[in-house]
């Protein structure tokens, strides 16, 4: 697949792509289904998003990471973590298993681990693999920016297919004046409404950015409380425990007991296997998209 002989691994945030694909089509009111009524709109959109990214960035190896059901270590630390999330739509639920089957038919490993999120699996694999070759993380989640390094770039999917923003240490600093680790510090201060943890009440993104840019870290801020305005100092002092907890929740865990050999994630499509899976799901048009001959 990779034509320039440069080895690189693309780590795909599976849930980010699947949810994006589902809602991109579901908002129109039309849900693609097989003749038996099995919903497949998210799978169809996922493959289109995935293939566009593969064509654009040409990885030699690919791994896909997934969230699992059940509580994570973060929910055990903070019971309200992601407690504001609504249940997945009924039409999406059966597609969770089917998309993993599709990914398997591509010869791509599906990686997950009970008690941890896909982010943690991606962070762990990026840490392991980036010592040997370049890593690209495909996601829509800006939390992943904390994983940027000289050998790991984060590709953020923006609105519309084929629209990406690639973050390296240089482009991250140029845009936000932050290094990757400081992404965690900002989240600790401002919290995360999507993941439902508050950070320091009353401190928003603008103030959090300013504090981290000026003092470098939570420790740097706490060492300089006397230099802060009375209002900001009081907010931090009143929420110290939540500040430290929010930092733990924001940090991607990079030592999950998962691994994937380089040989095991070489991206080489098996024509018959892919064609058979698309025929089963009544998606033969995707064969043409991916240059796969219909069996």
């Amino acid at each position: 697949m990779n034509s320039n002989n440069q080895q690189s691994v693309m780590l795909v945030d599976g849930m980010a792509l699947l949810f994006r694909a589902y809602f991109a089509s579901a908002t129109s009111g039309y849900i693609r289904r097989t003749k038996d009524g099995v919903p497949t709109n998210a799978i169809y959109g996922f493959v289109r998003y995935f293939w566009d990214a593969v064509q654009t960035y040409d990885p030699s190896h690919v791994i896909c990471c997934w969230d699992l059901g059940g509580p994570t270590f973060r929910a055990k630390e903070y019971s309200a973590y992601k407690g504001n999330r609504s249940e997945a739509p009924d039409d999406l639920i059966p597609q969770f298993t089917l998309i993993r089957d599709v990914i398997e038919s591509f010869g791509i490993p599906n990686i997950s681990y009970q008690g941890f999120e896909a982010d943690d699996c991606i962070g762990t694999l990026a840490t392991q693999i980036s010592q040997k070759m370049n890593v690209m993380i495909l996601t829509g989640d800006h939390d992943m920016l904390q994983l940027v390094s000289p050998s790991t770039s984060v590709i953020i999917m923006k609105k519309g297919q084929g629209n990406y923003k690639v973050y390296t240490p240089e482009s991250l600093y140029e845009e936000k004046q932050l290094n990757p680790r400081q992404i965690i510090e900002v989240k600790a201060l401002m919290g995360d409404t999507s993941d439902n943890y508050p950070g320091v009440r009353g401190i928003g993104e603008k103030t959090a950015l300013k504090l981290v840019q000026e003092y470098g870290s939570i420790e740097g801020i706490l060492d300089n409380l006397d230099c802060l305005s009375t209002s900001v100092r009081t907010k931090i002092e009143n929420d110290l425990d939540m500040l430290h907890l929010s930092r733990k929740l924001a940090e991607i865990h990079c030592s999950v007991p998962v691994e994937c050999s380089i040989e095991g994630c070489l991206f080489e499509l098996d024509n018959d296997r892919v064609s058979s899976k698309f025929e089963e799901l009544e998606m033969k048009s995707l064969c043409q998209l991916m240059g796969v001959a219909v069996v």
Side-chain angles (χ1 to χ4, degrees):
M1 176 85 216
N2 189 281
S3 56
N4 59 13
N5 295 321
Q6 250 190 322
Q7 300 269 290
S8 61
V9 176
M10 178 175 281
L11 301 177
V12 179
D13 183 352
M15 284 302 189
L17 266 69
L18 192 67
F19 272 86
R20 177 180 292 255
Y22 177 82
F23 287 108
S25 62
T27 50
S28 70
Y30 169 73
I31 301 292
R32 184 188 183 99
R33 301 177 189 275
T34 65
K35 291 189 182 78
D36 292 333
V38 177
T40 57
N41 65 314
I43 297 167
Y44 186 84
F46 181 107
V47 173
R48 293 182 65 87
Y49 283 136
F50 168 78
W51 191 247
D52 185 84
V54 165
Q55 294 292 97
T56 302
Y57 296 103
D58 198 23
S60 56
H61 299 67
V62 180
I63 302 171
C64 196
C65 294
W66 302 94
D67 294 325
L68 294 175
T72 65
F73 77 93
R74 292 183 180 85
K76 292 176 182 176
E77 291 271 0
Y78 182 58
S79 60
Y81 182 74
K82 291 191 175 179
N84 57 340
R85 300 277 180 101
S86 55
E87 293 293 319
D90 290 342
D91 285 327
L92 179 56
I93 292 170
Q95 299 185 70
F96 291 149
T97 301
L98 289 173
I99 189 60
R100 290 173 74 112
D101 294 342
V102 170
I103 291 300
E104 191 176 321
S105 78
F106 292 173
I108 296 171
N110 287 303
I111 300 292
S112 53
Y113 199 86
Q114 196 67 53
F116 293 90
E117 298 178 50
D119 295 21
D120 304 308
C121 295
I122 288 172
T124 298
L125 292 170
T127 301
Q128 294 171 359
I129 297 170
S130 62
Q131 299 174 37
K132 305 167 189 172
M133 64 173 71
N134 288 330
V135 173
M136 300 176 284
I137 296 170
L138 180 67
T139 185
D141 185 356
H142 285 74
D143 290 354
M144 296 278 200
L145 297 181
Q146 65 187 266
L147 299 175
V148 167
S149 77
S151 53
T152 299
S153 57
V154 173
I155 303 166
I156 295 290
M157 302 174 66
K158 298 171 78 68
K159 191 172 182 179
Q161 186 173 311
N163 189 12
Y164 308 99
K165 169 76 175 180
V166 180
Y167 286 92
T168 62
E170 294 76 23
S171 63
L172 177 62
Y173 190 81
E174 182 181 348
E175 181 177 305
K176 300 180 183 293
Q177 288 76 56
L178 297 173
N179 65 47
R181 291 291 302 175
Q182 289 174 321
I183 297 291
I184 303 167
E185 313 294 85
V186 170
K187 298 282 291 206
L189 286 160
M190 64 178 278
D192 188 320
T193 54
S194 174
D195 287 340
N196 202 41
Y197 59 87
V200 175
R201 285 165 294 184
I203 289 188
E205 182 176 13
K206 186 176 179 182
T207 302
L209 275 169
K210 182 180 177 184
L211 289 170
V212 174
Q213 287 164 353
E214 187 164 353
Y215 298 106
S217 66
I218 298 302
E219 287 73 23
I221 295 167
L222 296 179
D223 287 343
N224 289 277
L225 284 177
D226 291 344
C227 302
L228 307 182
S229 69
T230 303
S231 170
V232 170
R233 182 175 70 247
T234 301
K235 288 172 184 174
I236 292 173
E237 288 174 338
N238 288 344
D239 253 345
L240 265 180
D241 288 345
M242 184 52 73
L243 172 62
H244 291 301
L245 176 56
S246 294
R247 180 158 63 167
K248 287 179 73 175
L249 298 174
E251 184 171 8
I252 292 173
H253 191 93
C254 293
S255 54
V256 181
V258 295
E259 58 182 31
C260 182
S261 70
I262 298 300
E263 297 76 20
C265 62
L266 181 66
F267 187 48
E268 292 182 325
L269 292 176
D270 180 310
N271 189 96
D272 292 352
R273 205 173 166 199
V274 175
S275 177
S276 174
K277 180 54 68 175
F278 284 157
E279 183 175 10
E280 176 190 326
L281 294 172
E282 300 168 21
M283 295 180 175
K284 284 189 176 180
S285 63
L286 292 179
C287 289
Q288 183 177 1
L289 174 75
M290 297 178 65
V292 172
V294 178
V295 177

